[in-house]
Amino acid sequence: MVIPNQSADPARMALANRVFFRLYQCANMLHKTGTKAVEAEGLTTQQWAVLGALSRPEAGDGMSVGDLARYLKVSRQALSGLLSRMERDGRLRMAPDGRDRRSRLVSMTPSGLQVWQQEALPKIHDYYEQVIGDFSVNDITHTLHYLLRILENMQRVDDMQGGVEPEEA
């Protein structure tokens, strides 16, 4: 059992609790409302994240399952089922990595690329506009800055805890 830091400022801890609870709520609402935004394309927010990761220029030749899991901050086990469903649906292909036969490279199929670029992205951009359309560029920049700092600190905590992979994608 972890004993709370007794010297922590109660007001600071109350604010921290509110921040983390709001992050939790945002993650849940992103999953709920984001999935509705792309459900006509047969996508979920998890599939949206996979296609988004694979659409980046640096992933043009595909990504190993391990690299994709690390990039998305999910376990290989959770990602495995998701990738299998997306491969079954024709959105991705998995092939042995020419450099390491034990590793598999994940890449988008032409069908997956078309769904991503022509069907999903316009709806995702509309979704972004609905959610943060009233944010200024400065607001967006600051939000991104603080979310990245939180993520970096969470990664440091994870590394100190031994880097146990999360159980859900």
Side-chain angles (χ1 to χ4, degrees):
M1 180 170 102
V2 176
I3 299 173
N5 182 350
Q6 298 298 321
S7 65
D9 176 10
R12 181 180 170 88
M13 289 301 103
L15 283 171
N17 186 59
R18 291 177 67 187
V19 166
F20 283 89
F21 183 67
R22 295 299 180 217
L23 280 172
Y24 175 78
Q25 289 177 315
C26 284
N28 289 331
M29 288 300 291
L30 171 60
H31 179 66
K32 177 182 175 183
T33 60
T35 293
K36 284 183 183 173
V38 293
E39 69 186 352
E41 287 66 44
L43 299 175
T44 64
T45 52
Q46 292 93 346
Q47 292 170 334
W48 157 358
V50 168
L51 293 177
L54 294 173
S55 73
R56 297 169 309 126
E58 55 268 38
D61 294 329
M63 291 180 76
S64 73
V65 173
D67 287 345
L68 185 57
R70 279 186 291 282
Y71 182 75
L72 296 174
K73 308 286 189 215
V74 298
S75 72
R76 285 173 177 241
Q77 294 80 8
L79 187 59
S80 178
L82 178 62
L83 295 178
S84 293
R85 288 187 298 280
M86 293 179 76
E87 185 178 35
R88 177 201 67 209
D89 294 343
R91 312 272 197 221
L92 336 153
R93 78 172 60 89
M94 293 194 279
D97 185 342
R99 297 165 296 192
D100 178 359
R101 301 295 288 174
R102 297 169 299 162
S103 182
R104 295 187 316 160
L105 284 181
V106 182
S107 57
M108 268 194 272
T109 62
S111 170
L113 186 60
Q114 188 217 327
V115 165
W116 175 250
Q117 290 179 337
Q118 320 293 228
E119 300 171 32
L121 266 183
K123 291 182 177 182
I124 290 167
H125 290 168
D126 287 345
Y127 176 75
Y128 291 163
E129 196 57 38
Q130 291 173 30
V131 175
I132 61 172
D134 60 343
F135 281 38
S136 69
V137 169
N138 203 30
D139 291 339
I140 296 168
T141 302
H142 284 282
T143 301
L144 181 59
H145 169 77
Y146 290 116
L147 288 172
L148 285 171
R149 284 188 58 192
I150 288 170
L151 183 60
E152 287 168 3
N153 290 340
M154 287 177 166
Q155 186 64 59
R156 183 176 40 77
V157 168
D158 186 51
D159 292 345
M160 289 184 331
Q161 292 173 339
V164 176
E165 292 182 325
E167 291 303 317
E168 303 208 12

